[in-house]
Amino acid sequence: MPDKILVTREIPDAGLRVLEPFDVSVLHERPPEREELLDAVRGASGVLSTATEKVDGEVMDAAGEGLQVVANMAVGYDNVDVAAASERGVVVTNTPGVLDETTADVAFMLLLAAARRLGEGERLLRAGRWEWWGPKQLLGQDVWGKKLGIVGFGRIGQSVARRAKGFGMEILYHNRSRKPGAEKELDARYLDLDDLLETADFVSLHTPLTDETSHLIGERELALMRPTAVLVNTSRGPVVDEAALADALEKERIFAAGLDVYEDEPDVHPKLLDLENAVLAPHIGSASVETRDRMAVLAAENIVAVLSGEEPKTPVNG
Ligand code: NAP
């Protein structure tokens, strides 16, 4: 009998082809309900999950003793209880590296759109309210030549910095560890978080979501930012206190924000929905045809490796 694999969402065919030797059940396009997940996972040797499913000890116990691997189709794995997996001898894997450039594109897209008021302008035009070109109309902030502060200077943070170099931007960064190689390559300057927030014209967040980074940017941190500054978040929603951000944007304490992620997805703070200076994307950081193929294939290959007794390509634990 082939091993049973539960794929929690519809994923690109490229990933499913890798899993052909197994008995694969795919749930649906929408995220499964909790009870549905607990039921469907029974007897699975491998689970291919996405960031929308909470995979904790209860899910692992529901799968049973045969569970060997949880392959998360995301680089972030805050939705998986890694300690619970390790206790049960379950390997957890993620998909680092294959989505860096695609996600960095979205961060830069949000940075430009928020700085140059693209969302507001498009809404004006589509509503038939654009009456003329105006010398003082829709004036934004220049991006070129400005200071970009990157918080979390890992794979994606550095990919964003490379784009910024093309815009003649100066790179500042904050990270829990210094990155001498990247500092040299990108001519980047290390600052502590408060100094970075006070200095940067643009702040882009690229840390994982952990206990330390939850609400890393709150009321106090937003108050340190320049009134002309733009905040970009493509990391995870809870890294920013969304209510505090909505308040800062409403009171124009900062110029704008470009967001791809939210504290309680798919819900978005109601105030943000009404603000012209918030550019809001529906968690599309890695959403390109090519990258989703690569993510699905890597997650599936990790499952194949573990079930064949080999080292997975990108383990999180073990
Ligand atoms: P990465 O290469 O691991 O980079 C993360 C960086 O954050 C590392 O340099 C890490 O420092 C640093 N860091 C961790 N905790 C920190 C803290 N408390 N304070 C300061 N810096 C800290 O990860 P990545 O591949 O760039 O991905 C980053 C995150 O982006 C993912 O975890 C995921 O949540 C998010 N993401 C979102 C999307 C989307 O669709 N919007 C797509 C992809 C990824 P060390 O080097 O010292 O560990």
Side-chain angles (χ1 to χ4, degrees):
M1 277 271 284
D3 281 302
K4 178 180 164 181
I5 310 295
L6 177 69
V7 178
T8 59
R9 309 284 303 276
E10 282 179 12
I11 62 165
D13 289 343
L16 292 176
R17 280 196 290 275
V18 177
L19 295 174
E20 260 165 16
F22 302 106
D23 170 15
V24 177
S25 18
V26 179
L27 286 177
H28 14 243
E29 192 180 357
R30 62 172 168 78
E33 300 293 337
R34 181 74 180 171
E35 287 307 317
E36 195 177 16
L37 176 63
L38 290 170
D39 189 44
V41 80
R42 216 169 289 147
S45 306
V47 175
L48 194 155
S49 54
T50 74
T52 51
E53 289 80 57
K54 189 171 156 66
V55 184
D56 54 12
E58 190 185 13
V59 172
M60 296 170 203
D61 291 341
E65 301 216 326
L67 182 67
Q68 295 181 50
V69 54
V70 173
N72 209 39
M73 197 182 122
V75 62
Y77 49 85
D78 47 279
N79 60 306
V80 180
D81 187 337
V82 179
S86 299
E87 275 168 29
R88 291 162 177 77
V90 174
V91 177
V92 178
T93 66
N94 64 344
T95 61
V98 296
L99 41 62
D100 304 347
E101 304 303 333
T102 303
T103 308
D105 282 348
V106 166
F108 220 81
M109 171 186 85
L110 288 170
L111 186 156
L112 287 167
R116 300 299 301 273
R117 302 172 61 175
L118 177 64
E120 188 182 350
E122 196 185 1
R123 281 187 291 277
L124 183 87
L125 185 152
R126 284 180 188 272
R129 288 186 285 112
W130 184 46
E131 294 170 30
W132 21 252
W133 176 92
K136 289 178 71 176
Q137 186 182 63
L138 285 168
L139 306 187
Q141 302 292 333
D142 268 333
V143 170
W144 65 276
K146 294 282 183 69
K147 292 187 176 72
L148 171 62
I150 296 180
V151 181
F153 208 43
R155 287 173 294 253
I156 299 171
Q158 290 175 33
S159 293
V160 172
R162 279 186 206 101
R163 282 157 180 71
K165 295 299 278 183
F167 281 72
M169 296 179 92
E170 188 184 326
I171 312 296
L172 315 172
Y173 82 97
H174 174 73
N175 199 73
R176 67 176 166 189
S177 58
R178 288 285 288 264
K179 302 277 177 189
E183 276 182 32
K184 210 164 157 212
E185 180 204 329
L186 295 159
D187 193 18
R189 184 152 60 97
Y190 178 86
L191 291 178
D192 71 29
L193 183 58
D194 286 3
D195 285 344
L196 179 144
L197 294 170
E198 279 169 357
T199 313
D201 299 298
F202 295 86
V203 176
S204 192
L205 306 176
H206 301 285
T207 63
L209 172 60
T210 62
D211 290 345
E212 290 76 47
T213 62
S214 178
H215 281 197
L216 186 69
I217 304 298
E219 190 184 347
R220 190 190 77 84
E221 290 72 23
L222 290 161
L224 294 174
M225 290 175 66
R226 300 160 68 98
T228 50
V230 172
L231 178 72
V232 175
N233 188 13
T234 58
S235 63
R236 284 286 183 262
V239 173
V240 175
D241 178 341
E242 209 167 288
L245 175 61
D247 199 45
L249 288 169
E250 187 183 45
K251 294 182 174 132
E252 297 181 7
R253 294 206 188 104
I254 63 171
F255 184 75
L259 307 175
D260 187 42
V261 288
Y262 306 89
E263 277 198 79
D264 190 20
E265 295 177 12
D267 293 336
V268 176
H269 195 288
K271 229 190 233 180
L272 286 178
L273 295 172
D274 286 338
L275 288 170
E276 290 289 10
N277 56 354
V279 177
L280 308 174
H283 202 149
I284 54 170
S286 66
S288 74
V289 175
E290 300 92 330
T291 289
R292 286 288 163 82
D293 274 0
R294 281 191 287 265
M295 292 166 69
V297 167
L298 178 54
E301 285 175 348
N302 280 325
I303 290 182
V304 173
V306 173
L307 297 185
S308 319
E310 288 160 21
E311 275 296 302
K313 286 188 175 167
T314 49
V316 167
N317 59 353

